[in-house]
Amino acid sequence: MNRLDDRGRGVERLFSGLLMTCGLEHLRQPEGGVLHGHLPMTPARVTAYGEDWDRPEPVLFCEGEMTQARVNGEALRLHRRIEAPIGGATLRIIDRVENLGPAAQSFGLMHHLNFWLPAGAEWHERGA
């Protein structure tokens, strides 16, 4: 996939799930860059999942990581844990960004929650 399709707005084609994370090198669209960074197009790796009953509020959880790096540029790793308290009605997203490079590196992190799916898809199918 060409990350610069649609004049750098090709990332908008990835808004197909409930949660999308943007960043890490930037959040907006620098001149000639991709909208909201390269993280949405970076594969993730699941590192753990399960249930944790040994705490005051037991949870179901999953953990993963994404590494975004380029030669002579950023080298960042996003560690994420998503928790859902058992019997609860909340969801927690716990993020930690690690700098893998030798120099200090600024970063941006933004979450998109896309509540319009599937309701938006149904609206579109009706031709409204």
Side-chain angles (χ1 to χ4, degrees):
M1 171 162 87
N2 181 350
R3 295 178 176 157
L4 300 178
D5 276 350
D6 298 328
R7 295 182 304 254
R9 299 183 68 89
V11 71
E12 292 174 351
R13 298 184 184 280
L14 302 173
F15 284 86
S16 61
L18 174 66
L19 173 67
M20 182 174 139
T21 306
C22 302
L24 291 165
E25 76 280 18
H26 65 270
L27 296 179
R28 296 293 180 201
Q29 187 172 19
E31 185 65 35
V34 65
L35 180 66
H36 295 328
H38 290 91
L39 196 64
M41 296 164 272
T42 303
R45 182 173 73 92
V46 175
T47 57
Y49 62 91
E51 50 196 53
D52 185 353
W53 294 93
D54 298 327
R55 53 191 284 178
E57 180 186 47
V59 296
L60 300 176
F61 71 92
C62 65
E63 296 179 3
E65 63 184 27
M66 301 167 74
T67 302
Q68 178 181 308
R70 68 183 175 117
V71 175
N72 298 320
E74 74 280 354
L76 300 165
R77 180 170 292 146
L78 172 66
H79 299 270
R80 171 167 290 163
R81 179 178 171 103
I82 300 175
E83 296 180 343
I86 296 172
T90 60
L91 189 67
R92 284 190 291 268
I93 301 169
I94 303 154
D95 288 338
R96 180 174 55 89
V97 177
E98 177 184 6
N99 182 8
L100 304 173
Q105 175 70 45
S106 62
F107 67 91
L109 188 63
M110 179 173 67
H111 300 97
H112 275 279
L113 291 173
N114 304 308
F115 292 110
W116 65 276
L117 285 173
E122 292 169 7
W123 173 82
H124 179 71
E125 289 172 8
R126 291 192 312 260

